[in-house]
Amino acid sequence: MAKDVKPTRKELMQIEDRIDLSERGHGTLEKKRDGLIMEFMDILDQAQDVRGELSEDYERAQKTINMARAMEGDVAVRGAAAALQEHPEITTESKNIMGVVVPQIESSKVTKSLDQRGYGIMGTSARIDEAAEAYEDLLQSIILAAEVETAMKKMLREIETTKRRVNALEFKLLPELYENKEFIEQKLEEQEREEIFRLKKIKEKKEAEEAAEKAESEAEAAAVEEPVASD
């Protein structure tokens, strides 16, 4: 790349400006990368907790629904499920974490009281109530897991993008700019040495010419004075 650069002082100043800008950008991106990693680790810890709760809620939901089926039969369980009138509602908003927009999921009508589930209280047993409650808890965990997992994936993608930019500046752009700067400085130093050498030669030539003229003048003066001395 250095061979394509014009070795001029103007070009050198422009490259120095680009180096300064790139170094400041590199520092900013490094801070952003480190901040994103810290935020990601917090979300990762939260995700691990949520996954554990989700697994526990799933096992509990499976146990309670199997128990309800065994005690009440599939028909009764399906009938209780079909009686649901108000379905859960989910809305999504967004929040900004270190410049990364991540989803914020809000839910309503997930957890219900006995009289809100639609089936008759007298016609069902506590087993169905337990299963309904367990699946409500499971749904809450799924919603939270979806929010956390999506945020984690978005943060991870942004970290990778930022790392690529940092590496591009650190290992590609900045080394090339430093190489170009060094190339121009060397060329300018060579041009300066050549100019000094040329000026030195001009000075020596001029001094030689002046010495020759002086010697010629002195010789002419001496030639004029010799006849006068003879008289």
Side-chain angles (χ1 to χ4, degrees), residues 9-155:
R9 294 198 177 277
K10 180 180 179 181
E11 186 74 16
L12 178 60
M13 292 176 61
Q14 291 177 345
I15 287 178
E16 287 175 341
D17 289 342
R18 289 185 65 191
I19 288 175
D20 181 61
L21 181 62
S22 298
E23 286 179 339
R24 285 190 282 115
H26 179 264
T28 301
L29 285 172
E30 278 191 323
K31 291 178 181 178
K32 179 181 178 180
R33 178 200 61 194
D34 296 341
L36 286 170
I37 291 174
M38 291 179 65
E39 292 288 347
F40 175 79
M41 296 306 296
D42 290 339
I43 295 176
L44 181 60
D45 290 339
Q46 185 182 359
Q48 291 174 340
D49 293 338
V50 170
R51 287 171 183 171
E53 292 174 4
L54 180 60
S55 178
E56 291 176 1
D57 288 343
Y58 176 77
E59 290 181 4
R60 175 169 169 262
Q62 286 294 99
K63 287 180 180 178
T64 55
I65 196 67
N66 289 336
M67 182 64 69
R69 283 174 175 170
M71 299 295 293
E72 301 294 326
D74 285 344
V75 174
V77 172
R78 291 179 183 275
L84 183 65
Q85 298 297 320
E86 291 187 340
H87 295 279
E89 295 179 358
I90 294 177
T91 58
T92 58
E93 297 180 356
S94 60
K95 59 182 178 180
N96 192 302
I97 301 177
M98 296 289 295
V100 183
V101 178
V102 298
Q104 190 168 12
I105 303 176
E106 299 292 338
S107 61
S108 61
K109 301 180 181 179
V110 175
T111 303
K112 297 178 175 63
S113 60
L114 290 175
D115 58 334
Q116 291 176 326
R117 289 173 182 161
Y119 56 79
I121 300 177
M122 300 302 296
T124 58
S125 69
R127 299 296 182 184
I128 291 181
D129 295 336
E130 291 174 0
E133 181 182 350
Y135 270 89
E136 289 170 355
D137 292 341
L138 177 59
L139 182 55
Q140 291 277 30
S141 295
I142 290 173
I143 293 170
L144 180 58
E147 178 182 317
V148 173
E149 292 285 340
T150 303
M152 188 171 63
K153 289 178 181 179
K154 282 181 172 287
M155 293 290 290

Side-chain angles (χ1 to χ4, degrees), residues 142-226:
I142 290 173
I143 293 170
L144 180 58
E147 178 182 317
V148 173
E149 292 285 340
T150 303
M152 188 171 63
K153 289 178 181 179
K154 282 181 172 287
M155 293 290 290
L156 186 58
R157 282 198 296 268
E158 187 65 22
I159 289 171
E160 291 299 325
T161 299
T162 305
K163 284 174 63 177
R164 285 196 297 269
R165 291 174 180 171
V166 170
N167 291 338
L169 285 170
E170 184 173 350
F171 299 111
K172 189 178 191 317
L173 181 59
L174 280 171
E176 289 179 353
L177 290 174
Y178 288 132
E179 181 185 355
N180 291 344
K181 179 184 177 184
E182 184 179 359
F183 171 76
I184 293 176
E185 288 175 340
Q186 290 176 351
K187 287 296 182 181
L188 291 176
E189 288 176 1
E190 290 176 6
Q191 293 173 6
E192 187 175 353
R193 286 195 298 267
E194 290 174 357
E195 183 65 15
I196 293 173
F197 181 77
R198 186 180 69 82
L199 293 174
K200 184 178 179 182
K201 286 296 183 182
I202 291 174
K203 182 180 180 182
E204 290 176 352
K205 182 179 179 181
K206 185 177 181 180
E207 289 176 348
E209 289 176 349
E210 289 176 350
E213 290 176 358
K214 182 178 179 182
E216 184 178 352
S217 298
E218 290 175 350
E220 290 176 353
V224 172
E225 292 175 355
E226 281 186 4

